[in-house]
Amino acid sequence: ATRGFVGLGNDVLIGGLIIVGDSDQTVTIRARGPSLIEADPNLQNLLSDPFLQLFNGAGELIDSNDNWREHSSAESLRGDLSPTNDTEAVITRTLAPGAYTAIVRGNSDSTGIGIVEVFEID
């Protein structure tokens, strides 16, 4: 996981992940902001509406999500990984071995503290 400030334009939050080995791996990637208040009530200036993009090693956009319940993988999302705020973003994908980049932006020019998290799914 990586937590940081998400600004405007190219001032984004970036998380990298590498799938190693010879077999595909399913991962869940979350971009959160509003729900961070649950972990630390003293946090201020949280990213109100995260937007998540996933790129492959060639820099090609392979998936994106704005509101997690609207993503095609939402129905199969493990309950313990479901965000408590509908504006947060989640992508669950089976990925081939290689390098990937998850980028968090603020939807509608929102800015603030956000987090990108990656979970390996068995």
Coordinates of all heavy atoms in Angstrom, one line a residue, residues 18-120:
I18 N 4.3 -6.3 -9.3 CA 4.9 -7.2 -10.3 C 4.3 -8.6 -9.9 O 4.4 -9.0 -8.8 CB 6.4 -7.2 -10.1 CG1 6.9 -5.8 -10.5 CG2 7.0 -8.3 -11.0 CD1 8.4 -5.6 -10.2
I19 N 3.8 -9.2 -11.0 CA 3.4 -10.6 -10.9 C 4.5 -11.5 -11.3 O 5.0 -11.4 -12.5 CB 2.1 -10.9 -11.8 CG1 1.0 -9.9 -11.5 CG2 1.7 -12.3 -11.6 CD1 0.4 -10.0 -10.1
V20 N 5.0 -12.3 -10.4 CA 6.2 -13.2 -10.7 C 5.8 -14.6 -10.9 O 4.7 -15.0 -10.5 CB 7.3 -13.1 -9.6 CG1 7.8 -11.7 -9.5 CG2 6.7 -13.5 -8.3
G21 N 6.6 -15.4 -11.5 CA 6.4 -16.8 -11.8 C 5.9 -17.0 -13.2 O 6.0 -16.2 -14.0
D22 N 5.3 -18.2 -13.3 CA 4.8 -18.7 -14.6 C 3.3 -18.7 -14.8 O 2.8 -19.0 -15.8 CB 5.3 -20.1 -14.9 CG 6.8 -20.1 -15.0 OD1 7.4 -19.1 -15.5 OD2 7.4 -21.2 -14.7
S23 N 2.6 -18.3 -13.7 CA 1.1 -18.4 -13.8 C 0.5 -17.1 -13.5 O 1.0 -16.2 -12.8 CB 0.6 -19.5 -12.8 OG 1.0 -19.3 -11.5
D24 N -0.7 -16.9 -14.0 CA -1.5 -15.7 -13.7 C -1.9 -15.6 -12.3 O -1.9 -16.6 -11.5 CB -2.8 -15.7 -14.6 CG -2.5 -15.7 -16.1 OD1 -1.4 -15.5 -16.5 OD2 -3.5 -15.8 -16.8
Q25 N -2.1 -14.4 -11.8 CA -2.5 -14.1 -10.4 C -3.6 -13.2 -10.4 O -3.6 -12.2 -11.1 CB -1.3 -13.6 -9.7 CG -1.6 -13.2 -8.2 CD -1.9 -14.4 -7.4 OE1 -1.2 -15.4 -7.4 NE2 -3.0 -14.4 -6.7
T26 N -4.6 -13.4 -9.5 CA -5.7 -12.5 -9.3 C -5.4 -11.6 -8.2 O -4.9 -12.0 -7.1 CB -7.0 -13.3 -9.0 OG1 -7.3 -14.2 -10.1 CG2 -8.2 -12.3 -8.9
V27 N -5.6 -10.3 -8.4 CA -5.3 -9.3 -7.4 C -6.5 -8.3 -7.3 O -7.3 -8.2 -8.3 CB -4.1 -8.4 -7.7 CG1 -2.8 -9.3 -7.7 CG2 -4.2 -7.7 -9.1
T28 N -6.7 -7.7 -6.2 CA -7.7 -6.7 -6.0 C -6.9 -5.4 -5.7 O -6.0 -5.4 -4.8 CB -8.7 -7.0 -4.8 OG1 -9.5 -8.1 -5.2 CG2 -9.6 -5.8 -4.5
I29 N -7.2 -4.3 -6.4 CA -6.5 -3.1 -6.2 C -7.6 -2.1 -5.7 O -8.6 -1.9 -6.4 CB -5.8 -2.6 -7.5 CG1 -4.9 -3.7 -8.0 CG2 -5.1 -1.3 -7.3 CD1 -4.5 -3.5 -9.5
R30 N -7.3 -1.4 -4.6 CA -8.3 -0.4 -4.1 C -7.7 1.0 -4.1 O -6.5 1.1 -3.8 CB -8.7 -0.7 -2.7 CG -9.4 -2.1 -2.6 CD -10.0 -2.3 -1.2 NE -9.2 -2.0 -0.1 CZ -9.5 -2.2 1.2 NH1 -10.8 -2.7 1.5 NH2 -8.7 -2.0 2.2
A31 N -8.5 2.0 -4.4 CA -8.1 3.4 -4.3 C -9.1 4.0 -3.3 O -10.3 4.0 -3.5 CB -8.1 4.1 -5.6
R32 N -8.6 4.4 -2.1 CA -9.5 4.9 -1.1 C -9.1 6.3 -0.7 O -8.0 6.7 -0.8 CB -9.4 4.0 0.2 CG -9.9 2.6 -0.1 CD -9.9 1.7 1.1 NE -9.0 2.2 2.1 CZ -9.0 1.9 3.4 NH1 -9.9 1.1 3.8 NH2 -8.2 2.4 4.2
G33 N -10.1 7.0 -0.1 CA -9.9 8.3 0.4 C -10.8 8.6 1.6 O -10.4 8.7 2.7
P34 N -12.1 8.7 1.3 CA -13.0 9.0 2.4 C -13.0 8.1 3.5 O -13.1 8.5 4.7 CB -14.4 9.0 1.7 CG -14.1 9.1 0.2 CD -12.8 8.6 0.0
S35 N -12.8 6.8 3.3 CA -12.9 5.8 4.4 C -11.6 5.8 5.3 O -11.6 5.1 6.3 CB -13.2 4.4 3.9 OG -12.1 3.9 3.1
L36 N -10.6 6.5 4.9 CA -9.4 6.6 5.7 C -9.7 7.2 7.1 O -9.0 7.0 8.0 CB -8.3 7.4 5.0 CG -7.7 6.7 3.7 CD1 -6.7 7.6 3.1 CD2 -7.1 5.4 4.1
I37 N -10.8 8.0 7.2 CA -11.2 8.6 8.4 C -11.5 7.5 9.5 O -11.3 7.8 10.7 CB -12.3 9.6 8.2 CG1 -12.5 10.5 9.4 CG2 -13.6 8.9 8.0 CD1 -11.5 11.6 9.4
E38 N -11.9 6.4 9.0 CA -12.3 5.3 9.9 C -11.0 4.8 10.6 O -11.1 4.4 11.8 CB -12.9 4.1 9.2 CG -14.3 4.5 8.6 CD -14.8 3.6 7.5 OE1 -14.2 2.5 7.4 OE2 -15.7 3.9 6.8
A39 N -9.9 4.8 9.9 CA -8.6 4.3 10.5 C -7.9 5.3 11.4 O -7.3 5.0 12.4 CB -7.7 3.8 9.4
D40 N -8.1 6.6 11.0 CA -7.5 7.7 11.8 C -8.4 8.9 11.8 O -8.4 9.7 10.8 CB -6.1 8.0 11.2 CG -5.4 9.1 12.0 OD1 -6.0 9.7 12.9 OD2 -4.2 9.3 11.7
P41 N -9.2 9.1 12.8 CA -10.2 10.2 12.8 C -9.5 11.6 12.8 O -10.2 12.6 12.5 CB -10.9 10.0 14.2 CG -10.6 8.6 14.6 CD -9.3 8.2 14.0
N42 N -8.2 11.7 13.0 CA -7.5 12.9 12.9 C -7.0 13.3 11.5 O -6.6 14.5 11.3 CB -6.3 12.9 13.8 CG -6.7 12.7 15.3 OD1 -7.6 13.3 15.8 ND2 -6.0 11.8 16.0
L43 N -7.2 12.4 10.5 CA -6.8 12.8 9.2 C -7.7 13.8 8.6 O -8.9 13.8 8.8 CB -6.8 11.5 8.3 CG -5.7 10.6 8.4 CD1 -6.0 9.3 7.5 CD2 -4.4 11.2 8.0
Q44 N -7.1 14.8 7.9 CA -7.9 15.8 7.3 C -7.5 15.9 5.8 O -6.5 15.3 5.4 CB -7.6 17.2 7.9 CG -8.1 17.2 9.4 CD -7.8 18.5 10.0 OE1 -7.5 19.5 9.4 NE2 -7.9 18.6 11.3
N45 N -8.3 16.6 5.0 CA -8.1 16.8 3.6 C -7.9 15.4 2.8 O -7.0 15.2 2.1 CB -6.8 17.6 3.4 CG -6.7 18.2 1.9 OD1 -7.7 18.3 1.2 ND2 -5.5 18.5 1.5
L46 N -8.9 14.6 3.0 CA -8.9 13.3 2.4 C -9.5 13.4 1.0 O -10.3 14.2 0.7 CB -9.8 12.3 3.2 CG -9.3 12.0 4.6 CD1 -10.3 11.1 5.3 CD2 -7.9 11.3 4.5
L47 N -9.0 12.6 0.1 CA -9.4 12.5 -1.3 C -10.9 12.1 -1.3 O -11.2 11.0 -0.9 CB -8.6 11.6 -2.1 CG -8.8 11.5 -3.6 CD1 -8.6 12.8 -4.3 CD2 -8.0 10.4 -4.2
S48 N -11.8 12.9 -1.8 CA -13.2 12.7 -1.6 C -13.8 11.7 -2.7 O -14.8 11.0 -2.5 CB -14.0 14.0 -1.7 OG -13.8 14.6 -3.0
D49 N -13.1 11.6 -3.9 CA -13.6 10.8 -4.9 C -12.5 10.2 -5.8 O -12.2 10.7 -6.8 CB -14.6 11.6 -5.8 CG -15.4 10.7 -6.7 OD1 -15.2 9.5 -6.8 OD2 -16.2 11.3 -7.5
P50 N -11.9 9.1 -5.3 CA -10.7 8.5 -6.0 C -11.2 7.9 -7.4 O -12.3 7.3 -7.5 CB -10.2 7.4 -5.1 CG -10.9 7.6 -3.8 CD -12.1 8.4 -4.0
F51 N -10.3 8.0 -8.3 CA -10.5 7.3 -9.6 C -9.2 6.5 -9.9 O -8.1 7.0 -9.8 CB -10.6 8.4 -10.8 CG -10.8 7.8 -12.1 CD1 -12.0 7.3 -12.5 CD2 -9.8 7.8 -13.0 CE1 -12.2 6.7 -13.7 CE2 -9.9 7.2 -14.3 CZ -11.1 6.7 -14.7
L52 N -9.4 5.2 -10.2 CA -8.3 4.2 -10.3 C -8.1 3.8 -11.7 O -9.1 3.4 -12.4 CB -8.6 3.0 -9.4 CG -7.6 1.9 -9.4 CD1 -6.3 2.3 -8.9 CD2 -8.2 0.7 -8.5
Q53 N -6.8 3.8 -12.2 CA -6.5 3.3 -13.5 C -5.4 2.2 -13.3 O -4.5 2.4 -12.5 CB -5.9 4.4 -14.4 CG -7.0 5.5 -14.7 CD -6.3 6.6 -15.5 OE1 -5.4 7.3 -15.0 NE2 -6.8 6.9 -16.7
L54 N -5.4 1.2 -14.2 CA -4.4 0.1 -14.1 C -3.8 0.0 -15.5 O -4.5 -0.1 -16.5 CB -5.1 -1.2 -13.8 CG -4.2 -2.4 -13.7 CD1 -3.1 -2.2 -12.6 CD2 -5.0 -3.7 -13.4
F55 N -2.5 0.1 -15.6 CA -1.7 0.0 -16.8 C -0.8 -1.2 -16.8 O -0.3 -1.6 -15.7 CB -0.8 1.3 -16.9 CG -1.6 2.6 -17.1 CD1 -2.1 3.3 -16.0 CD2 -1.9 3.1 -18.3 CE1 -2.8 4.4 -16.1 CE2 -2.6 4.3 -18.5 CZ -3.1 4.9 -17.4
N56 N -0.6 -1.8 -18.0 CA 0.4 -2.9 -18.1 C 1.8 -2.3 -18.3 O 2.0 -1.1 -18.3 CB 0.0 -3.8 -19.2 CG 0.0 -3.2 -20.6 OD1 0.6 -2.2 -20.8 ND2 -0.6 -3.9 -21.5
G57 N 2.8 -3.2 -18.4 CA 4.1 -2.8 -18.5 C 4.5 -2.0 -19.7 O 5.4 -1.3 -19.8
A58 N 3.6 -2.1 -20.8 CA 3.8 -1.3 -22.0 C 3.2 0.0 -21.9 O 3.2 0.8 -22.8 CB 3.2 -2.1 -23.2
G59 N 2.5 0.3 -20.7 CA 1.9 1.6 -20.6 C 0.5 1.7 -21.1 O -0.1 2.8 -21.2
E60 N -0.1 0.6 -21.4 CA -1.4 0.6 -22.0 C -2.5 0.5 -20.8 O -2.3 -0.3 -19.9 CB -1.6 -0.6 -22.9 CG -0.7 -0.6 -24.1 CD -0.6 -2.0 -24.8 OE1 -0.8 -3.0 -24.2 OE2 -0.3 -1.9 -26.0
L61 N -3.5 1.3 -20.9 CA -4.6 1.2 -19.9 C -5.3 -0.1 -20.1 O -5.8 -0.3 -21.2 CB -5.5 2.4 -20.1 CG -6.7 2.5 -19.2 CD1 -6.3 2.7 -17.7 CD2 -7.7 3.6 -19.6
I62 N -5.4 -0.9 -19.1 CA -6.1 -2.2 -19.2 C -7.4 -2.2 -18.4 O -8.2 -3.1 -18.6 CB -5.2 -3.4 -18.9 CG1 -4.7 -3.3 -17.4 CG2 -4.1 -3.5 -19.9 CD1 -3.9 -4.6 -17.0
D63 N -7.6 -1.3 -17.4 CA -8.8 -1.2 -16.7 C -8.9 0.1 -15.9 O -7.8 0.7 -15.7 CB -8.9 -2.4 -15.7 CG -10.3 -2.8 -15.3 OD1 -11.2 -2.0 -15.6 OD2 -10.5 -4.0 -14.9
S64 N -10.1 0.5 -15.5 CA -10.2 1.7 -14.7 C -11.5 1.6 -13.9 O -12.4 0.8 -14.3 CB -10.2 2.9 -15.5 OG -11.4 3.0 -16.4
N65 N -11.7 2.4 -12.8 CA -12.9 2.4 -12.1 C -13.0 3.7 -11.3 O -12.0 4.2 -10.8 CB -12.9 1.2 -11.1 CG -14.2 1.1 -10.2 OD1 -14.1 1.3 -9.0 ND2 -15.3 0.9 -10.9
D66 N -14.2 4.1 -11.2 CA -14.5 5.3 -10.4 C -15.2 5.0 -9.1 O -14.7 5.1 -8.1 CB -15.4 6.3 -11.3 CG -15.7 7.6 -10.5 OD1 -15.1 7.9 -9.5 OD2 -16.6 8.3 -11.0
N67 N -16.4 4.5 -9.2 CA -17.2 4.0 -8.0 C -17.2 2.5 -8.0 O -17.7 1.9 -8.9 CB -18.6 4.6 -8.1 CG -18.6 6.1 -8.1 OD1 -17.8 6.8 -7.4 ND2 -19.4 6.7 -8.9
W68 N -16.7 1.9 -7.0 CA -16.4 0.5 -6.9 C -17.6 -0.4 -7.2 O -17.5 -1.4 -7.9 CB -15.8 0.1 -5.6 CG -16.7 0.0 -4.4 CD1 -17.1 1.0 -3.6 CD2 -17.4 -1.1 -3.9 NE1 -17.9 0.6 -2.6 CE2 -18.1 -0.7 -2.8 CE3 -17.4 -2.5 -4.3 CZ2 -18.9 -1.6 -2.1 CZ3 -18.2 -3.3 -3.6 CH2 -18.9 -2.9 -2.5
R69 N -18.8 0.0 -6.8 CA -20.0 -0.8 -7.1 C -20.4 -0.9 -8.6 O -21.1 -1.8 -9.0 CB -21.2 -0.3 -6.3 CG -21.1 -0.5 -4.8 CD -22.3 -0.1 -4.1 NE -22.2 -0.1 -2.7 CZ -22.4 -1.2 -1.9 NH1 -22.7 -2.3 -2.4 NH2 -22.2 -1.1 -0.6
E70 N -19.8 0.0 -9.4 CA -20.1 0.0 -10.8 C -19.1 -0.8 -11.7 O -19.3 -0.9 -12.9 CB -20.1 1.5 -11.3 CG -21.2 2.3 -10.6 CD -21.1 3.8 -10.9 OE1 -20.2 4.2 -11.7 OE2 -21.9 4.6 -10.3
H71 N -18.1 -1.3 -11.1 CA -17.1 -2.1 -11.8 C -17.6 -3.5 -12.0 O -18.4 -4.1 -11.2 CB -15.8 -2.2 -11.0 CG -14.7 -2.7 -11.9 ND1 -14.3 -4.0 -11.9 CD2 -13.8 -2.1 -12.7 CE1 -13.3 -4.2 -12.7 NE2 -13.0 -3.0 -13.2
S72 N -17.3 -4.1 -13.1 CA -17.8 -5.5 -13.5 C -17.4 -6.5 -12.5 O -18.0 -7.5 -12.4 CB -17.3 -5.9 -14.9 OG -15.8 -5.9 -14.9
S73 N -16.3 -6.3 -11.7 CA -15.9 -7.3 -10.7 C -16.5 -7.1 -9.3 O -16.2 -7.8 -8.4 CB -14.3 -7.2 -10.6 OG -13.9 -6.0 -10.0
A74 N -17.4 -6.1 -9.2 CA -17.9 -5.7 -7.8 C -18.7 -6.9 -7.2 O -18.6 -7.1 -6.0 CB -18.8 -4.5 -7.9
E75 N -19.4 -7.6 -8.1 CA -20.2 -8.7 -7.5 C -19.4 -9.8 -6.9 O -19.8 -10.5 -6.0 CB -21.1 -9.3 -8.7 CG -22.1 -8.3 -9.2 CD -23.5 -8.5 -8.7 OE1 -23.8 -9.6 -8.3 OE2 -24.2 -7.5 -8.8
S76 N -18.2 -10.0 -7.4 CA -17.3 -11.1 -6.9 C -16.3 -10.6 -5.9 O -15.4 -11.4 -5.4 CB -16.6 -11.7 -8.1 OG -15.8 -10.8 -8.7
L77 N -16.4 -9.3 -5.5 CA -15.4 -8.8 -4.5 C -15.6 -9.4 -3.2 O -16.7 -9.5 -2.7 CB -15.6 -7.3 -4.4 CG -14.6 -6.5 -3.6 CD1 -13.2 -6.7 -4.1 CD2 -15.0 -5.0 -3.5
R78 N -14.5 -9.9 -2.6 CA -14.5 -10.4 -1.2 C -15.1 -9.4 -0.3 O -14.7 -8.2 -0.3 CB -13.1 -10.8 -0.8 CG -12.8 -12.2 -1.0 CD -11.4 -12.6 -0.5 NE -10.8 -11.8 0.5 CZ -9.5 -11.7 0.8 NH1 -8.7 -12.5 0.1 NH2 -9.0 -10.9 1.7
G79 N -15.9 -9.8 0.6 CA -16.6 -8.9 1.5 C -15.6 -8.0 2.4 O -15.9 -6.9 2.6
D80 N -14.5 -8.6 2.8 CA -13.6 -7.9 3.6 C -12.8 -6.9 2.9 O -12.1 -6.0 3.4 CB -12.6 -8.9 4.4 CG -11.8 -9.7 3.4 OD1 -12.2 -10.0 2.3 OD2 -10.6 -10.0 3.8
L81 N -12.9 -6.9 1.5 CA -12.2 -5.9 0.7 C -13.2 -4.8 0.1 O -12.7 -3.9 -0.6 CB -11.5 -6.6 -0.5 CG -10.3 -7.5 0.0 CD1 -9.7 -8.2 -1.3 CD2 -9.3 -6.8 0.8
S82 N -14.4 -4.9 0.4 CA -15.4 -4.0 0.0 C -15.3 -2.7 0.7 O -15.3 -2.6 1.9 CB -16.8 -4.5 0.2 OG -17.0 -5.7 -0.5
P83 N -15.0 -1.5 0.0 CA -14.9 -0.3 0.6 C -16.3 0.1 1.3 O -17.3 -0.3 1.0 CB -14.7 0.7 -0.5 CG -14.1 -0.1 -1.6 CD -14.8 -1.4 -1.4
T84 N -16.1 0.9 2.4 CA -17.3 1.4 3.1 C -17.9 2.7 2.5 O -19.0 3.1 2.9 CB -17.0 1.7 4.6 OG1 -15.9 2.6 4.6 CG2 -16.6 0.4 5.3
N85 N -17.2 3.2 1.5 CA -17.7 4.4 0.8 C -17.8 4.1 -0.7 O -16.9 3.7 -1.3 CB -16.7 5.6 1.1 CG -17.2 6.9 0.6 OD1 -17.4 7.1 -0.6 ND2 -17.5 7.8 1.5
D86 N -19.0 4.4 -1.2 CA -19.3 4.1 -2.6 C -18.5 4.8 -3.6 O -18.4 4.4 -4.8 CB -20.8 4.3 -2.9 CG -21.7 3.2 -2.3 OD1 -21.1 2.2 -1.8 OD2 -22.9 3.4 -2.3
T87 N -17.9 6.0 -3.2 CA -17.1 6.7 -4.2 C -15.7 6.2 -4.4 O -14.9 6.7 -5.2 CB -17.0 8.2 -3.8 OG1 -16.3 8.3 -2.6 CG2 -18.3 8.8 -3.7
E88 N -15.3 5.2 -3.5 CA -14.0 4.7 -3.7 C -13.9 3.7 -4.8 O -15.0 3.2 -5.3 CB -13.5 4.0 -2.3 CG -13.4 5.1 -1.3 CD -13.0 4.7 0.1 OE1 -13.4 3.6 0.5 OE2 -12.2 5.5 0.7
A89 N -12.7 3.4 -5.3 CA -12.5 2.6 -6.5 C -11.9 1.3 -6.3 O -10.9 1.2 -5.4 CB -11.7 3.4 -7.6
V90 N -12.3 0.2 -7.0 CA -11.7 -1.1 -6.9 C -11.7 -1.8 -8.2 O -12.6 -1.7 -9.0 CB -12.6 -2.0 -5.9 CG1 -12.0 -3.4 -5.8 CG2 -12.6 -1.4 -4.5
I91 N -10.6 -2.5 -8.5 CA -10.4 -3.3 -9.6 C -9.9 -4.7 -9.2 O -9.0 -4.8 -8.4 CB -9.4 -2.7 -10.6 CG1 -9.9 -1.4 -11.2 CG2 -9.1 -3.8 -11.7 CD1 -8.8 -0.7 -12.0
T92 N -10.6 -5.7 -9.6 CA -10.2 -7.1 -9.3 C -9.9 -7.7 -10.7 O -10.8 -7.7 -11.6 CB -11.2 -7.9 -8.6 OG1 -11.4 -7.4 -7.3 CG2 -10.7 -9.4 -8.4
R93 N -8.7 -8.2 -10.9 CA -8.3 -8.7 -12.3 C -7.3 -9.9 -12.1 O -6.6 -9.9 -11.2 CB -7.5 -7.6 -13.1 CG -8.3 -6.5 -13.6 CD -9.1 -6.7 -14.9 NE -8.3 -7.2 -16.0 CZ -8.2 -6.6 -17.1 NH1 -8.9 -5.5 -17.4 NH2 -7.5 -7.2 -18.1
T94 N -7.4 -10.8 -13.0 CA -6.4 -11.8 -13.1 C -5.4 -11.3 -14.1 O -5.7 -11.0 -15.3 CB -7.0 -13.1 -13.6 OG1 -8.0 -13.5 -12.6 CG2 -6.0 -14.2 -13.7
L95 N -4.1 -11.2 -13.6 CA -3.0 -10.6 -14.4 C -2.0 -11.7 -14.8 O -1.6 -12.5 -13.9 CB -2.4 -9.5 -13.7 CG -3.3 -8.3 -13.2 CD1 -2.6 -7.4 -12.3 CD2 -3.9 -7.6 -14.5
A96 N -1.4 -11.6 -16.0 CA -0.3 -12.4 -16.4 C 1.0 -11.9 -15.7 O 1.0 -10.7 -15.3 CB -0.2 -12.3 -17.9
P97 N 2.0 -12.8 -15.6 CA 3.2 -12.3 -15.0 C 3.7 -11.0 -15.8 O 3.6 -10.9 -17.0 CB 4.2 -13.5 -15.2 CG 3.3 -14.7 -15.2 CD 2.0 -14.2 -15.9
G98 N 4.2 -10.1 -15.0 CA 4.8 -8.9 -15.6 C 4.6 -7.7 -14.6 O 4.1 -7.9 -13.5
A99 N 4.9 -6.5 -15.1 CA 4.9 -5.3 -14.3 C 3.6 -4.5 -14.6 O 3.2 -4.5 -15.8 CB 6.1 -4.4 -14.5
Y100 N 3.0 -3.9 -13.6 CA 1.8 -3.1 -13.7 C 1.9 -1.9 -12.8 O 2.6 -1.8 -11.8 CB 0.6 -4.0 -13.3 CG 0.4 -5.2 -14.1 CD1 1.0 -6.4 -13.8 CD2 -0.4 -5.2 -15.2 CE1 0.9 -7.5 -14.6 CE2 -0.6 -6.3 -16.0 CZ 0.1 -7.5 -15.7 OH -0.1 -8.6 -16.5
T101 N 1.1 -0.9 -13.2 CA 1.1 0.4 -12.5 C -0.3 0.8 -12.2 O -1.2 0.8 -13.1 CB 1.8 1.5 -13.3 OG1 3.1 1.1 -13.6 CG2 1.8 2.8 -12.5
A102 N -0.6 1.1 -11.0 CA -2.0 1.6 -10.6 C -1.8 3.1 -10.3 O -0.9 3.5 -9.5 CB -2.5 0.8 -9.3
I103 N -2.7 3.9 -10.9 CA -2.6 5.3 -10.7 C -3.9 5.8 -10.1 O -5.0 5.4 -10.6 CB -2.3 6.0 -12.1 CG1 -0.9 5.7 -12.6 CG2 -2.5 7.5 -11.9 CD1 -0.5 6.3 -13.8
V104 N -3.8 6.6 -9.1 CA -5.0 7.2 -8.4 C -5.0 8.7 -8.7 O -4.1 9.4 -8.5 CB -5.0 7.0 -6.9 CG1 -6.2 7.6 -6.2 CG2 -4.9 5.5 -6.6
R105 N -6.2 9.1 -9.3 CA -6.4 10.5 -9.5 C -7.7 10.9 -8.7 O -8.4 10.1 -8.3 CB -6.7 10.7 -11.0 CG -5.6 10.3 -11.9 CD -6.0 10.5 -13.4 NE -5.0 10.0 -14.3 CZ -3.9 10.6 -14.6 NH1 -3.6 11.8 -14.1 NH2 -3.0 10.0 -15.4
G106 N -7.9 12.2 -8.6 CA -9.1 12.7 -8.0 C -10.2 12.9 -9.1 O -9.9 13.6 -10.1
N107 N -11.3 12.3 -9.0 CA -12.4 12.5 -9.9 C -13.0 13.9 -9.8 O -13.0 14.5 -8.7 CB -13.5 11.5 -9.7 CG -14.5 11.4 -10.9 OD1 -14.1 11.6 -12.0 ND2 -15.7 11.1 -10.6
S108 N -13.3 14.6 -10.9 CA -13.9 15.9 -10.8 C -13.0 16.9 -10.2 O -13.4 17.8 -9.4 CB -15.3 15.9 -10.2 OG -16.2 15.1 -10.8
D109 N -11.7 16.8 -10.5 CA -10.6 17.7 -9.9 C -10.6 17.7 -8.4 O -10.1 18.7 -7.8 CB -10.8 19.1 -10.4 CG -10.5 19.2 -11.9 OD1 -9.7 18.4 -12.4 OD2 -11.1 20.1 -12.6
S110 N -11.0 16.6 -7.7 CA -10.8 16.5 -6.3 C -9.4 16.2 -6.0 O -8.6 15.6 -6.7 CB -11.8 15.5 -5.7 OG -11.5 14.2 -6.2
T111 N -8.9 16.7 -4.8 CA -7.6 16.5 -4.3 C -7.6 16.1 -2.9 O -8.6 16.3 -2.2 CB -6.7 17.8 -4.5 OG1 -7.3 18.8 -3.6 CG2 -6.7 18.3 -5.9
G112 N -6.5 15.6 -2.4 CA -6.4 15.2 -1.0 C -5.6 13.9 -0.8 O -5.0 13.4 -1.7
I113 N -5.6 13.5 0.5 CA -4.8 12.3 0.8 C -5.6 11.0 0.4 O -6.8 10.9 0.7 CB -4.6 12.2 2.4 CG1 -3.7 13.4 2.8 CG2 -3.9 10.9 2.8 CD1 -3.6 13.6 4.3
G114 N -4.9 10.1 -0.3 CA -5.5 8.9 -0.7 C -4.6 7.7 -0.5 O -3.4 7.9 -0.1
I115 N -5.0 6.5 -0.7 CA -4.2 5.3 -0.6 C -4.5 4.4 -1.7 O -5.7 4.3 -2.2 CB -4.4 4.7 0.8 CG1 -3.4 3.6 1.0 CG2 -5.8 4.1 0.9 CD1 -3.4 3.0 2.5
V116 N -3.5 3.7 -2.2 CA -3.7 2.7 -3.2 C -3.1 1.4 -2.5 O -2.1 1.4 -2.0 CB -2.9 2.9 -4.6 CG1 -1.4 3.2 -4.4 CG2 -3.2 1.9 -5.6
E117 N -4.0 0.3 -2.6 CA -3.6 -0.9 -1.9 C -3.8 -2.1 -2.9 O -4.7 -2.1 -3.8 CB -4.6 -1.2 -0.8 CG -4.7 -0.1 0.2 CD -5.9 -0.2 1.1 OE1 -7.0 -0.3 0.6 OE2 -5.7 -0.3 2.3
V118 N -2.9 -3.1 -2.8 CA -3.0 -4.2 -3.7 C -3.0 -5.5 -2.8 O -2.2 -5.6 -1.9 CB -1.7 -4.3 -4.6 CG1 -1.8 -5.6 -5.5 CG2 -1.6 -3.1 -5.4
F119 N -4.0 -6.4 -3.1 CA -4.2 -7.6 -2.3 C -4.1 -8.8 -3.3 O -4.8 -8.8 -4.3 CB -5.5 -7.6 -1.6 CG -5.8 -6.5 -0.7 CD1 -6.3 -5.3 -1.1 CD2 -5.4 -6.6 0.6 CE1 -6.5 -4.2 -0.2 CE2 -5.6 -5.6 1.5 CZ -6.1 -4.4 1.1
E120 N -3.4 -9.8 -2.9 CA -3.3 -11.0 -3.7 C -4.5 -11.9 -3.3 O -4.8 -12.0 -2.1 CB -2.0 -11.8 -3.3 CG -1.9 -13.1 -4.1 CD -0.6 -13.8 -3.6 OE1 0.2 -13.3 -2.8 OE2 -0.4 -14.9 -4.2

